[in-house]
Structure formats: C-alpha cells, structure tokens
Amino acid sequence: MASRFNPLKADAHWQKVWDEGGTFRARDDSARPKSYVLEMFPYPSGRIHVGHARNYVMGDVLARYKRMKGFEVLHPMGWDAFGMPAENAAIERKVHPGEWTRANIDAMRGQLKLLGLALDWSREFATCDPAYYGHEQALFVDLFEAGLVYRKDSEVNWDPVDMTVLANEQVIDGCGWRSGAPVERRKLTQWFLKITDFADELLEGLADLDQWPDKVRLMQENWIGRSRGMKFRFALAGGDESVEVFTTRPDTIFGASFVAVSPDHPLALGLGKGDAKIADFIALCKRGGTTAAELETAEKLGFDTGLKVAHPLDPTWELPVYIANFVLMDYGTGAIFGVPGHDQRDFEFATKYGLPIRRVVAAGPEDADKPITGEAESGEGVLVNSRFLDGMDVESAKAAVIARAEAEGWGEGTIVWRLRDWGVSRQRYWGTPIPIVHCQACGAVPLPKDQLPVVLPEDIDFEAPGNPLDRHPTWKHVPCPACGGAALRETDTLDTFVDSSWYFIRFASQPADRPFDRAVAERWLPVDQYIGGVEHAILHLLYARFWTRALRRLGMLDLAEPFQGLFTQGMVTHLTHRDADGNWLLPEEAEAAKAAGEAVVAGRIEKMSKSKKNVIPPEPIVEQYGADALRWFLLSDSPPERDLQWTDAGIEGAWRFVQRLWRLASAEERGEGEDEALDRKLHQTIAAMGANIEALAFNKAVANIYELANAIEKAAPSASRIAAIRTMLRLVAPMVPHVAEEAWAALGHNGLIADVPWPEADPTLLVEDEVTIAIQVNGKLRDTVRAPKGAAREKLEAMAVENENVRRILAGAAPRKVIVVPDRLVNVVA
RNA sequence: GCCCCUGUGGCGGAAUUGGUAGACGCGCUCGACUCAAAAUCGAGUUCCGCAAGGAGUGCCCGUUCGACUCGGGCCAGGGGCACCA
C-alpha cells in the first residue's frame, strides 16, 4: 500500500467505477424498501461554491448510508432552469437565455461530479426542457379544467421604461432597479391558482409534518394566517345599501367611532366618479410606495365622505364613513369599523381627525371611566360601557356579539385568511408558456393536450424593452382550439415556482407521454428527506404542498404531503477583505496586497457571494486536497443547521484526517486475541454513528469517528484492532467514500465498500461492566470511584460515606441524607 | 409593533429523562524525531491560584439533594411577518 493517499488518482478512479457500474441507479422494481433523498435542485446561475456543496454532501451521506442499510435509494439531481438571470444575461451579454443556461448547467454538472455524489444521473432533467415544461402545461390545463385556475385584474409594479412587471425586490426607492424610472402601480389581467381553496388543509396538514423544523411550520402557519372573527354590515343612512366590515374584535362593537373603507373599495371608487376631491384623495393614496419601509412611516390619511351609517345595535347611533389609506382592499372585506380605544391604528386616526375615543374594555368595572391616553389598550380585561356585554371577559363578549348578530341576521362569525391566491403570470420570455389561447368568440381556451407542448420560440431578440414573446412576429398568432377562428396565444409565462412545485414527482417517474406514472410515483413518494435552505421555508415549500394536494383532489396522485422530512441547513460563511477604498478583494488579492504593503481591511465573516468576493469554488480545493477532505470539512465542526465558517485551517485539518485514516488502514498490523475495551468502543461507535447520521447530526458523527480512531491508535495489535479498522472504513464510507473504497480495495476486498452492508452493533457490547461513580457532597463533585455496573445502592452509599474526601468535608458529622443514583452518582447531603 | 429562535473555553461546538460541564476538532504551549523543515508522534490547554482550593454554561431570582437542562424577570444577538382590522 502506498504511504500516502492520492486523491487526484483515487477520486477519478472510483467515480468512474460507480458511474460505469450504475451503482447509484434507483430501480423502480426493486424489492427493497425505498428511501427518497432529495436536495433542493439548483438554479444554474453560473458556478457552485462550497456552500452549495455542503447541501449536496449532507444529502449524499444520508443516501449512501440508507443504501448500506438495505434501502433502494432514489437520489436524483436536476436544474431549476427558468428565471430572470438568464434574461438579464441575454440583455447584457447578447447571448440566448437557453444557451447561457445550458452552458451553466454543463459547468455546474462538472463541478458536482467532482464531489463524488451518489446521484442517479440517469434521471437528470432541466425545467427548461420542453419534455418537462410540456407536462407542466398539461397539468396546468388539468387544474384549469378542475376550476383551480382563474383570471383577474391585479395590481403590479410596472416599469414604464422597460415595459415590464417588477417583483417587489426589484423596486428600489420606488424606481425600477434597471431603468431607474419611477415605478407605477398598474392593473393587469393575470392568472391565479386557487391556493386559498386549500388554506384550511395546508394549515391542518402542518400538524402531521413532525419531521419538519418547528420554525418552518410556524412560518407557514403565520403566512397562511387564519383569523377567526366576524363579518357584519352597517346600513348606510338613507338607502338600502350597506358596508360590510370584518373584525377579530366583535366584543369592542360599542367602542366604534367611525367606519373606514379602502381607497380601492367599490364604495370609494363609486364616490370618486362623481366627486373630484374624492378622486384626488384616492389618487393620493395610490401614489405612495409599496415597500415596507414606506408603509411604516406613512401617515394615516382619511377623507370624510359625509356618508353616515347606523350602528347595528342602535339604529339611532350614527357613525361617519371615511376613506382611509391604511385599509387594505385584499384583506377581510376592505372595510373596517374603527375602535380607537383598543386599536393603535384607529387611535392614531381618531386623534388626527378628532373622533371620539371610548373605553369598552377595562381592568375592572371600577375603571370604566378611566380615559385612554397615549396609546390604544389592546390587552385583556372586562367589558364596560357596552350595554348587554358589561362585565363579560373578552372571549365571552366576542361569542355573545356573534350569537346576537347571527340571530338578528346582520352579521356572522367567520374565518379570514392572510393567504392570497397565487399569481403565476410573468411578463417574461424565459419561462413555461401558459397553454392558453385567447379567442374573441370563445374567450380564454386551454390548449388540448395533443397540441402541447407550447414550445418557446428560439428566434427572439432582447433589443427592445418588454416581453419578446409579445413582440414575436408570428408566435402568438394561432387558430382558436375551440372554433378555429383567428386567436392569440397567451404571451405570459409561468412563475418559476410552478416549475419547482412538482419536479420531485417527475424525478420519481418520467414517462414520455404524461407527467408521471401514478404507480411509480406513489412507490417513491413522499420524499423521505428533503434538504435545502431556509429561504424557501414559505413560498417553495407551500406551493409544492399545494400542488401535491391539488393533484390529489384531481385524483391523479394519492399523496397529501410531498416532503415527509425536511431539513434546513446553514450557509457556509467566509471572511471578506476590502482595500483602503472599500473595494472588495478576493482572498488571493488580499494576500498580494498585504505582501505589497498595501492596506487591507479584514471585513466581516459573511455568506459567500460573488459581489463580496469571498466565494470558494470547489475545484481548487478538490485539486489540492481531494473530494473527501472537502466533504469531511463540510460535515465537521458546525451542526448542519447552523452556518459553517470556511477556513484554511479547517480544510487542512480535514485533509490530515483523510491521510490519518489511510495510514491506519495501510499500517494494519498482524494481531491476535480480543481487546474487549476496543470492541466496546467500536460497537458503541456503530450505534452512535447510525443514530447521528439518521438525525443528520453529522458533526457528532464526525466526533464519533475521531474518538474511535483515537482508541484504535492507542490499542495494541489484536484481532479486535484489525476488525475495528475494517469496520471503521465502513462507517466512514458514506462521508469519505473515495478513500474508503481505495483502502477497502487495498486491504484485499473484492467489490465496493458502497455495497457492503452497514455494520450491526452488538447490544451486549454497548454497556460497560464497570462504571465511574461520581461522589458528590451537596451536589459538588468531590471524587470519582470505579464500581461494577449494577452495584447495590447500599454498597455505593458505603463507598461514598467512607470516601476520604467526603469524610474530610463532613468532619465527623453524620450526613443528613444520601442520594444514590445507581451506576451514576452518590450525593451526600451534609 | 407582533411571533419565534439562540447565548457554554482563545475559536467551532459536545453533554439520553435534571445526575462527573467543556466530548471531538481547530488554535496555542512544551517535548520527541530531523542538519533543518514539512509530515508524524507524545504531554498539556475553562478561569484565578505555586499549591491546597475556589469560581464557572449572558444577567438576576426561584424550584431541587443536585440546574447548561425546569419556572419567573431582564439583557444581547439572529430570524420571520408587518397599516392583516
């Protein structure tokens, strides 16, 4: 055996062996139990760095481990290949988005292959392949026909120069990020998916996702935002019309001092038509930006319409109707009743416009006349100044008001959701074309499936602003599928989140003629372990859950939840450097500048990003240290859910470990006889490693191996030692597969270590027969003694009381009490 | 503003149900090998103290024979949502 492990040769060799042998192909017809391990598939933005690598290596360890445990493992890889960066590249560099994307995919695939991942590459696809998005179009048509797709007008951020819709993140200080032109709010007719139809089950379903982080479940729960409350109507004075409002605090109904409607409310819009002042006010409200910062500082503005409404519980009580900028049209009913005493926004509004502030909740009846000053009181208490509600607690009063409203017919208890329907239209080229044709006679007609896929035209230009699909001379002109008359294609494309809402199903099953084969998909799904960044905690994971449930409702797939286990891993961070002028420097530039005596400022340790020039690509690391050292470092030290700081010392340490492993295996000495202590350590390690890998606690698994390696190095030659070394190779094989294969072969084994079953821990070796007992006085450690496992309480107590240190501290006094925890400790209470 | 999470050596971090705090790694110190270096090996490394001993898991209280762990109140850092009625 060579004295040093040469990863340059070994990595390539074993990767070729795995590849040619189809080692990691997932067989649909295997009799083994299945395990589906999936990392969130990457967007092909250019190159991966070690932060991405960490993500894939974690999944890889689990996939390889499950395989050794006897599972048929599906561990696929593909590309989330549609999206804006490709269009930006097209505009900036005059390359076709498809060309740019496919070049990136090739480069990134090459990078991933350097890591020696146990992937089934035969299932690879990119979402920009018509063979993928064509099926997505078919599914969209299915959803359309099931009534889960509809069109409606929706407000968007519109860049008048680039003639395009902007996402909120692309609006900077109220201007388009590229053009710099002031963004307008414009109404466009857009396609929506009825995710709100599933709000209830998406919320309820979270309870069953016990292998998801609590944090993510909570975030989804808040995002779905179920609020229980009451809708009720205020009759407009002098007419039959009424204004419907929603509240979560029906108990405060006697604290009302005004009604306010959104500037987008039909009542406001109607009034605006006949009144220039109202129209101006509405326009004023719309002018403000939509960013969070602007909303936070925006002043509460109101316009008194002069209209009055009657209080539903007292027809003689009239309230003014305002149009107010802080009332949102798309939550609740777009109208509220204001209770300044117990709602901070209403308080500010009432203070500004001189409206009454009534107390209806107080700490006790004696505080009924205590004025409310400074800010609204939103806490608990008892009802006061509220007629039939007086004396009730808040919850009882809510129920009482709802009961009365329902009995009298002017309102009802209800639930409203924060979740809104999913707008999927994007006025962009590089996405899945929406398979709809607009016909003058027939309206919006979905394309029959035999006319799918609708393929993106290749001959497009990005010279002019706007959507190239819309400008294309011929593409959009098609006959209507229903009547055959002249019609126009929908030129919007689907949000890329649609592409990622079902790719995991397509990985499991990819027939040519339909999106998936139900039986095969159901064999593999759900994904047993999904791994990805927490930045997708809400949108992607919620959309995928929705899509899966929609397919179930359509009878296409018997599956409620797509991802049984979810793990959100931390990022890889790295030191940043700047020069004296504040420009970011690459690590090697910083070195050079330091050597040249120039000023270099070490910046903060931050997430790797191109702009901050602190990215570490995998290639030079793999070249210098090998894939295993990189893998080992990415798994060491930090718990996987936390950030890992990239350091040279860290990768050096991992490299040393890989060599140490090799040395241990190659210096395997002859030896006979048993070494019971080492046998114990080995089997304890087998048990701990298995548990830690299944819990994705890779940093602890790494520590288990170090402990075992230390024990083996200290042990004298023996048969046990030889067995320990060979077993250790099997234990590390999922983490450092190349050196494990190389050593396994060098020790004379035929066949791959990847195919060797995971070792079984011998339960009789997991327990020690002698244990260390802590001797405490008043809970403080005073000594430790060795005792046989299972020693009698009396015996342990005697050992403690007679202990030299204990006697010295007791100084002749009798202990008040002695607590014995068998096999652990004795605590003498003085 | 509302909701949530996290605070342990010089650093990353371990610690079943409350039961020997600091496993393991990095770094550092000393030593061995070497002409020398790298690599490797050995010893040490929470703090104060020569030692005996004392203190110690963000801070303050509490429960307990015993608290990193449980309860209450603060402080600091991070995250999510945000004119959501």
Side-chain angles (χ1 to χ4, degrees):
Chain A
M1 260 169 116
S3 64
R4 281 183 61 101
F5 172 65
N6 179 356
L8 226 53
K9 266 172 67 183
D11 287 2
H13 171 71
W14 293 108
Q15 285 164 19
K16 192 165 166 241
V17 170
W18 298 326
D19 190 38
E20 289 176 354
T23 308
F24 302 115
R25 286 252 173 115
R27 288 169 304 153
D28 292 341
D29 57 359
S30 166
R32 296 167 152 217
K34 70 92 181 177
S35 183
Y36 187 173
V37 179
L38 183 66
E39 301 95 48
M40 291 179 185
F41 69 161
Y43 176 76
S45 58
R47 297 293 148 110
I48 66 161
H49 56 67
V50 291
H52 303 100
R54 188 184 188 205
N55 186 218
Y56 304 123
V57 167
M58 285 180 191
D60 200 57
V61 174
L62 188 68
R64 285 173 175 271
Y65 166 80
K66 285 283 185 188
R67 207 172 157 278
M68 290 175 83
K69 287 286 274 187
F71 288 86
E72 187 69 26
V73 172
L74 174 56
H75 186 213
M77 180 56 70
W79 311 96
D80 189 13
F82 275 135
M84 279 193 325
E87 289 192 36
N88 297 339
I91 294 164
E92 282 159 19
R93 298 183 220 172
K94 316 274 184 223
V95 290
H96 190 277
E99 212 178 292
W100 182 84
T101 301
R102 282 181 270 271
N104 286 343
I105 287 175
D106 288 341
M108 289 171 68
R109 185 193 302 109
Q111 291 183 297
L112 287 181
K113 291 208 167 183
L114 292 176
L115 300 172
L117 301 171
L119 290 165
D120 181 353
W121 285 103
S122 73
R123 295 173 187 249
E124 176 191 4
F125 62 79
T127 57
C128 64
D129 302 336
Y132 179 78
Y133 71 69
H135 296 303
E136 184 167 306
Q137 292 166 337
L139 291 174
F140 182 87
V141 171
D142 289 331
L143 294 183
F144 181 94
E145 280 163 359
L148 292 174
V149 179
Y150 67 97
R151 286 183 100 201
K152 82 169 184 201
D153 286 349
S154 162
E155 246 178 28
V156 294
N157 300 307
W158 180 259
D159 185 318
V161 171
D162 281 351
M163 296 210 297
T164 188
V165 172
L166 299 177
N168 277 331
E169 305 78 60
Q170 297 170 318
V171 181
I172 297 154
D173 294 331
C175 297
W177 65 305
R178 186 187 298 283
S179 70
V183 168
E184 298 169 3
R185 287 204 241 167
R186 182 183 273 213
K187 276 205 168 158
L188 286 185
T189 307
Q190 312 224 69
W191 290 99
F192 286 82
L193 298 187
K194 273 196 192 167
I195 191 171
T196 55
D197 254 31
F198 295 78
D200 224 329
E201 51 177 301
L202 287 170
L203 184 67
E204 301 282 316
L206 290 172
D208 301 326
L209 296 174
D210 56 352
Q211 293 174 52
W212 279 39
D214 290 342
K215 180 183 165 181
V216 173
R217 290 196 289 177
L218 189 73
M219 281 162 71
Q220 291 216 352
E221 192 180 314
N222 291 339
W223 185 264
I224 295 168
R226 185 181 195 267
S227 291
R228 179 180 287 283
M230 176 173 126
K231 277 183 185 172
F232 67 96
R233 292 162 287 282
F234 283 98
L236 274 167
D240 306 330
E241 286 177 272
S242 63
V243 182
E244 188 175 48
V245 300
F246 171 74
T247 180
T248 54
R249 292 294 302 274
D251 55 301
T252 61
I253 193 163
F254 291 106
S257 52
F258 64 96
V259 165
V261 302
S262 164
D264 297 313
H265 193 277
L267 181 70
L269 298 175
L271 291 169
K273 278 184 189 139
D275 186 327
K277 272 187 170 169
I278 292 179
D280 286 349
F281 179 76
I282 293 171
L284 176 73
C285 292
K286 292 213 171 192
R287 203 177 302 146
T290 52
T291 63
E294 283 170 301
L295 289 174
E296 196 169 0
T297 51
E299 203 183 344
K300 307 258 174 303
L301 294 176
F303 187 96
D304 187 349
T305 63
L307 297 175
K308 304 281 182 204
V309 290
H311 194 284
L313 287 164
D314 183 349
T316 66
W317 181 356
E318 287 198 332
L319 299 169
V321 178
Y322 281 77
I323 299 167
N325 65 342
F326 67 93
V327 182
L328 306 174
M329 189 59 220
D330 47 10
Y331 183 78
T333 61
I336 60 155
F337 74 101
V339 183
H342 305 285
D343 181 283
Q344 186 57 26
R345 288 158 310 185
D346 299 348
F347 182 88
E348 288 169 30
F349 191 81
T351 306
K352 179 161 178 181
Y353 293 102
L355 296 160
I357 298 170
R358 294 189 182 86
R359 175 183 290 281
V360 288
V361 179
E366 65 281 2
D367 290 335
D369 298 324
K370 200 171 157 188
I372 292 172
T373 54
E375 58 180 10
E377 296 180 12
S378 53
E380 288 292 300
V382 297
L383 274 287
V384 295
N385 305 321
S386 293
R387 307 189 192 184
F388 71 98
L389 302 174
D390 281 351
M392 291 185 189
D393 62 57
V394 167
E395 286 309 311
S396 314
K398 284 180 182 173
V401 172
I402 291 171
R404 176 127 175 209
E406 288 179 349
E408 294 175 2
W410 48 268
E412 53 279 321
T414 187
I415 287 163
V416 302
W417 304 85
R418 186 186 169 282
L419 184 70
R420 315 217 180 122
D421 277 335
W422 176 14
V424 294
S425 296
R426 297 290 180 272
Q427 292 70 41
R428 309 204 164 273
Y429 165 74
W430 194 234
T432 300
I434 296 176
I436 298 281
V437 170
H438 298 283
C439 170
Q440 285 278 326
C442 311
V445 183
L447 280 162
K449 291 198 183 157
D450 60 11
Q451 292 183 34
L452 298 179
V454 178
V455 179
L456 285 170
E458 290 282 320
D459 53 330
I460 39 101
D461 76 86
F462 285 93
E463 294 304 311
N467 180 355
L469 288 178
D470 205 30
R471 288 196 307 272
H472 191 279
T474 56
W475 186 77
K476 69 179 172 184
H477 299 282
V478 287
C480 168
C483 69
L488 292 175
R489 270 194 207 290
E490 171 69 60
T491 58
D492 285 353
T493 51
L494 288 172
D495 180 4
T496 57
F497 277 113
V498 177
D499 308 332
S500 53
S501 288
W502 72 286
Y503 77 104
F504 46 89
I505 307 176
R506 184 75 184 166
F507 272 148
S509 166
Q510 35 193 294
D513 60 340
R514 55 201 193 281
F516 52 87
D517 179 273
R518 180 174 177 161
V520 177
E522 284 175 1
R523 158 159 167 72
W524 288 112
L525 289 161
V527 174
D528 294 274
Q529 186 63 58
Y530 197 33
I531 302 176
V534 74
E535 67 273 19
H536 295 111
I538 299 175
L539 294 182
H540 161 58
L541 289 168
L542 192 64
Y543 293 148
R545 294 182 62 220
F546 154 69
W547 196 273
T548 304
R549 281 173 185 271
L551 293 180
R552 184 171 72 154
R553 190 177 290 185
L554 268 55
M556 297 173 70
L557 193 62
D558 183 21
L559 180 71
E561 290 291 339
F563 312 121
Q564 188 160 57
L566 173 70
F567 185 80
T568 55
Q569 96 287 356
M571 297 176 299
V572 177
T573 60
H574 190 211
L575 195 63
T576 55
H577 299 278
R578 293 178 190 241
D579 66 15
D581 300 327
N583 300 310
W584 301 101
L585 296 174
L586 292 168
E588 56 268 29
E589 290 172 344
E591 285 301 316
K594 266 188 222 166
E598 291 165 31
V600 174
V601 184
R604 299 199 321 176
I605 294 159
E606 296 196 60
K607 176 188 177 177
M608 287 189 182
S609 80
K610 272 188 219 164
S611 60
K612 291 180 182 151
K613 297 198 174 178
N614 62 343
V615 168
I616 300 288
E619 293 96 325
I621 304 298
V622 168
E623 210 171 293
Q624 192 177 350
Y625 301 101
D628 289 336
L630 175 58
R631 292 169 64 110
W632 189 256
F633 176 44
L634 292 174
L635 297 165
S636 306
D637 292 344
S638 286
E641 68 276 11
R642 289 205 213 161
D643 289 354
L644 171 73
Q645 194 193 335
W646 181 269
T647 60
D648 292 342
I651 185 69
E652 292 276 354
W655 159 252
R656 281 201 298 273
F657 173 74
V658 171
Q659 291 300 340
R660 185 179 167 203
L661 203 58
W662 177 255
R663 267 198 316 279
L664 263 173
S666 49
E668 186 193 58
E669 294 158 68
R670 293 181 175 283
E672 279 169 32
E674 288 188 16
D675 180 336
E676 211 188 302
L678 187 59
D679 288 346
R680 281 220 165 81
K681 188 72 200 171
L682 175 65
H683 283 265
Q684 285 163 358
T685 305
I686 293 170
M689 278 286 285
N692 283 329
I693 290 178
E694 296 208 15
L696 306 178
F698 303 113
N699 59 321
K700 295 186 209 170
V702 164
N704 295 149
I705 289 296
Y706 275 117
E707 283 194 51
L708 179 61
N710 290 344
I712 292 173
E713 278 174 349
K714 285 198 173 73
S718 67
S720 296
R721 193 173 185 274
I722 292 171
I725 289 169
R726 296 187 179 219
T727 306
M728 179 167 69
L729 287 177
R730 288 154 73 189
L731 296 175
V732 294
M735 303 172 100
V736 284
H738 307 86
V739 68
E741 292 288 5
E742 188 81 3
W744 193 248
L747 286 170
H749 295 94
N750 290 316
L752 296 173
I753 199 170
D755 289 328
V756 175
W758 186 257
E760 294 262 351
D762 179 347
T764 63
L765 290 172
L766 295 182
V767 286
E768 303 282 352
D769 51 11
E770 204 186 44
V771 291
T772 304
I773 305 288
I775 305 295
Q776 299 181 335
V777 176
N778 293 336
K780 282 194 180 185
L781 184 70
R782 293 303 172 182
D783 206 351
T784 60
V785 294
R786 297 288 287 172
K789 188 169 172 67
R793 306 182 80 98
E794 297 73 28
K795 214 172 155 191
L796 292 174
E797 181 169 340
M799 282 172 87
V801 174
E802 284 158 24
N803 182 277
E804 201 185 316
N805 290 353
V806 173
R807 284 171 46 172
R808 184 167 44 76
I809 291 162
L810 287 180
R816 281 202 294 142
K817 196 170 163 188
V818 179
I819 285 149
V820 179
V821 181
D823 295 335
R824 289 217 96 113
L825 61 76
V826 182
N827 187 15
V828 178
V829 185

